[in-house]
Amino acid sequence: MNNPTNQQVEGILVTGPISPEAAAILSPDALSFLVKLSRAFSDTREALLHKRVERQTEFDAGIKPDYLPETAHIRNGDWTILSVPHDLQDRRVEITGPSGDRKMVINALNSGAKAFMADFEDANSPTWANTIQGQINMRDAINRTIDYVSPEGKTYALRDQIATLIVRPRGWHLDEKHVLVDGKPISGSLFDFGLYFFHNAKTLLAKDSGPYFYLPKLESHLEARLWNDVFVLAQAELGIPQGTIKATVLVETILATFEMDEILYELRDHIVGMNCGRWDYIFSYIKKFRNHPEVILPDRSLVTMTAPFMEAYTLLTIQTCHRRKAHAIGGMAAQIPIKNDAVANEEAMQKVKADKQREARNGHDGSWVAHPGLVPIVEQVFDEIMPTTNQVDKQIPNLHVTAEDLLRVPEGAITENGLRTNISVSIQYIEAWLRGSGAVPIFHLMEDAATAEISRAQIWQWIRHQKGILADGRNVTMELVTQLGVEELGKIKNTIGEESFASGKYQVAYEIFGNLISNDQFEDFLTVPGYAYLN
């Protein structure tokens, strides 16, 4: 494969292989569009990422976040978002999955869910092949030409009625290393957004839909402003009316919670809602206060949505969104159907049902699932509690969430079993990610980068704070983690067999995991150093 586009577009170099199918995605016109986006916004992006580093330095020194005094007029103002298109009015159940897996894309669109979030981020391992295949899959799905034939000969194709498509590009912190603009890797956000928007926006509008996006990992309203500026330029370049793009922001960092009104305001012509990205939120909480010895979280399984700080965050999201006429989407049900164990499966499904009942009664307008088998359960819950298309009109007028409410440390034990689970999940997820799989079933839960981040971050934190001791009185030390790591690696080997273990990437995954937890300098995202290992 050669790269015929490289000589045709000034300022951009594609170093990844370009197949004939990929060449249509990486057309000269599309690459020129990417160059415009990158040159217009790269400096601002880098400055905002530097602000993240500066704020972390403040947190390490003991400062805690709070609502911004300089934007009180926005929080106190009487304004609402512009509009919500008809095919995003009812979002009672949304399914998510990696954009690069063609069969999973078809199954998700056919699942009966109201919307499908096709992911270029946490559920997608960003190999060059996955990233480009994701763009091909999106184009083909929108044109209804997508199909797939399994090795066994089973054919997959779209049904007449499919979910509304929403795409999640990578977060601002990630690069696309296979594409250089003016000699530097292009932002993964701009690459994913730009190609999808360029190729599909007008087709979507002709089909009475539109270019819809989920925006991940925002830490401030200034980062939301950058996205809004991107949208404005992109629409102008393609001659599409302003306000056509519609976005849902994932509230999945502890800092974004303090700026929800401001984020909605910055994106008010383009935003339709917010989503409680619960797993990333827990990870962000650990990460931002990692050097605060009093902020120690218990076993991951104990940090549920009923923990006071999580409940405060979700209720505040609903209150803020509904006040501004935006939708508030609930968090991910990570459970998946358990085959060959009816009792365990029923228990898991009841957990999903109870979780979604709580969300619907609180006022959420819909929720997320990771598996098609959960769609009917969540749909039934919302049908019973929310008979209308949404409950945006449901207000929570007497709720007053303080900074202390949002920062309250959850209580619970740290156990050897919890530590072992974190070790095993970290190794298994990193190994699958290295092989190109970003959404992985482990211990009957669908793990993505966010859940794996919680596991490795907890271990890093427990090692470094003497308060982080096991329920039996032992400290969590590097020596103990190393010992248990060897044992858990052995369990994995025994479970999958010598041949599968040898053909996998378990040793490399174990080395990456070891580096993440042994380095006193906390790595903000495991996917950043991991990206060096991907083709």
Side-chain angles (χ1 to χ4, degrees):
M1 298 179 188
N2 59 10
N3 291 8
T5 58
N6 288 347
Q7 287 75 43
Q8 299 178 38
V9 180
E10 184 270 331
I12 193 165
L13 175 67
V14 179
T15 63
I18 302 178
S19 66
E21 201 173 19
I25 297 294
L26 298 165
S27 66
D29 286 345
L31 292 180
S32 295
F33 182 65
L34 292 181
V35 171
K36 288 178 182 176
L37 292 179
S38 185
R39 287 176 174 168
F41 302 113
S42 288
D43 288 349
T44 304
R45 172 200 176 223
E46 289 180 12
L48 289 171
L49 291 177
H50 184 67
K51 278 186 177 293
R52 288 187 182 184
V53 176
E54 291 177 339
R55 291 200 76 185
Q56 186 60 54
T57 301
E58 294 176 354
F59 299 142
D60 289 346
I63 294 173
K64 296 283 182 70
D66 205 340
Y67 298 102
L68 303 178
E70 64 269 27
T71 53
H73 63 287
I74 292 174
R75 293 193 298 278
N76 297 329
D78 187 19
W79 52 269
T80 61
I81 64 167
L82 179 63
S83 63
V84 178
H86 71 94
D87 52 350
L88 291 177
Q89 287 285 345
D90 188 340
R91 302 173 66 175
R92 66 190 58 229
V93 55
E94 300 187 347
I95 191 168
T96 74
S99 58
D101 188 312
R102 202 164 174 88
K103 184 179 82 169
M104 289 182 73
V105 167
I106 296 170
N107 285 343
L109 288 168
N110 288 340
S111 66
K114 294 294 185 182
F116 165 45
M117 188 201 76
D119 201 6
F120 285 87
E121 213 225 12
D122 276 357
N124 182 66
S125 173
T127 64
W128 179 244
N130 280 348
T131 300
I132 297 302
Q133 186 61 49
Q135 294 288 348
I136 293 168
N137 291 343
M138 297 302 97
R139 179 202 63 194
D140 292 351
I142 291 164
N143 289 312
R144 298 191 71 93
T145 59
I146 191 170
D147 58 13
Y148 175 77
V149 180
S150 72
E152 299 76 29
K154 184 177 179 180
T155 300
Y156 296 79
L158 292 181
R159 298 172 181 163
D160 291 340
Q161 188 70 33
I162 60 173
T164 297
L165 183 61
I166 309 175
V167 163
R168 177 163 72 172
R170 279 169 282 186
W172 283 128
H173 62 290
L174 295 171
D175 292 332
E176 174 47 65
K177 65 182 179 181
H178 299 93
V179 177
L180 307 180
V181 175
D182 300 327
K184 297 170 66 174
I186 191 172
S187 155
S189 302
L190 296 178
F191 184 79
D192 299 339
F193 162 81
L195 288 178
Y196 177 78
F197 181 77
F198 181 84
H199 287 294
N200 303 301
K202 292 182 178 178
T203 306
L204 285 162
L205 289 172
K207 292 177 176 289
D208 197 28
S209 187
Y212 304 147
F213 297 92
Y214 259 110
L215 305 181
K217 307 289 192 294
L218 296 187
E219 294 194 6
S220 74
H221 70 283
L222 298 178
E223 295 180 13
R225 181 182 297 170
L226 176 56
W227 267 119
N228 197 72
D229 291 344
V230 171
F231 295 164
V232 169
L233 177 63
Q235 289 165 142
E237 285 291 327
L238 266 63
I240 289 174
Q242 294 297 324
T244 296
I245 293 172
K246 295 300 182 184
T248 305
V249 167
L250 288 133
V251 183
E252 54 185 0
T253 69
I254 183 68
L255 303 184
T257 315
F258 291 94
E259 300 184 37
M260 285 194 286
D261 272 306
E262 294 89 334
I263 289 169
L264 285 163
Y265 185 80
E266 294 291 347
L267 284 158
R268 60 193 179 278
D269 289 347
H270 296 107
I271 198 166
V272 292
M274 289 180 153
N275 173 289
C276 288
R278 58 174 71 172
W279 307 116
D280 261 302
Y281 191 82
I282 295 169
F283 168 55
S284 170
Y285 183 87
I286 299 169
K287 175 168 64 175
K288 293 304 175 186
F289 310 126
R290 60 191 182 238
N291 291 319
H292 294 229
E294 76 282 5
V295 183
I296 306 294
L297 272 65
D299 282 359
R300 187 182 116 179
S301 62
L302 300 178
V303 187
T304 67
M305 298 308 293
T306 58
F309 85 117
M310 295 297 286
E311 184 178 35
Y313 138 70
T314 54
L315 290 175
L316 180 60
T317 302
I318 296 167
Q319 180 192 52
T320 306
C321 286
H322 287 184
R323 184 183 174 203
R324 307 305 181 185
K325 301 300 181 185
H327 291 214
I329 309 300
M332 169 66 75
Q335 290 84 358
I336 56 177
I338 302 171
K339 298 177 181 178
N340 306 319
D341 190 335
V343 175
N345 184 67
E346 178 62 22
E347 183 180 333
M349 296 306 103
Q350 287 302 316
K351 285 182 179 179
V352 173
K353 186 175 181 179
D355 181 46
K356 301 311 164 188
Q357 286 173 333
R358 176 191 52 77
E359 287 186 328
R361 287 171 183 149
N362 282 347
H364 280 291
D365 302 287
S367 195
W368 271 16
V369 298
H371 192 282
L374 272 63
V375 170
I377 296 173
V378 178
E379 186 171 44
Q380 182 181 5
V381 167
F382 274 87
D383 285 349
E384 292 172 355
I385 298 172
M386 189 184 78
T388 53
T389 54
N390 58 67
Q391 44 190 350
V392 170
D393 290 335
K394 181 175 181 176
Q395 303 293 313
I396 314 179
N398 298 320
L399 178 71
H400 179 63
V401 176
T402 66
E404 290 73 21
D405 295 328
L406 293 171
L407 300 176
R408 185 168 291 117
V409 182
E411 297 178 352
I414 300 170
T415 67
E416 180 181 316
N417 185 60
L419 176 57
R420 285 183 178 274
T421 299
N422 278 350
I423 293 169
S424 187
V425 165
S426 298
I427 296 169
Q428 291 188 67
Y429 181 80
I430 294 171
E431 191 276 336
W433 190 85
L434 291 171
R435 286 188 290 102
S437 295
V440 189
I442 304 174
F443 301 140
H444 306 309
L445 296 175
M446 188 63 78
E447 303 278 348
D448 68 4
T451 52
E453 292 280 30
I454 298 172
S455 291
R456 66 95 181 183
Q458 282 197 312
I459 297 169
W460 187 96
Q461 186 189 45
W462 291 344
I463 289 171
R464 283 158 182 81
H465 298 305
Q466 287 302 304
K467 188 181 175 184
I469 58 174
L470 298 176
D472 59 18
R474 288 176 295 162
N475 283 341
V476 178
T477 62
M478 259 317 298
E479 291 73 22
L480 177 61
V481 173
T482 300
Q483 174 199 327
L484 298 183
V486 171
E487 293 176 11
E488 292 304 314
L489 200 61
K491 288 181 185 177
I492 294 168
K493 187 176 183 178
N494 290 335
T495 300
I496 66 174
E498 290 267 2
E499 187 175 339
S500 295
F501 188 87
S503 63
K505 295 182 179 290
Y506 290 96
Q507 289 297 342
V508 177
Y510 184 64
E511 290 171 13
I512 293 173
F513 165 70
N515 290 336
L516 287 169
I517 62 168
S518 63
N519 190 344
D520 285 337
Q521 183 63 43
F522 186 88
E523 188 67 55
D524 277 346
F525 296 95
L526 68 82
T527 49
V528 173
Y531 192 36
Y533 293 81
L534 297 184
N535 294 322

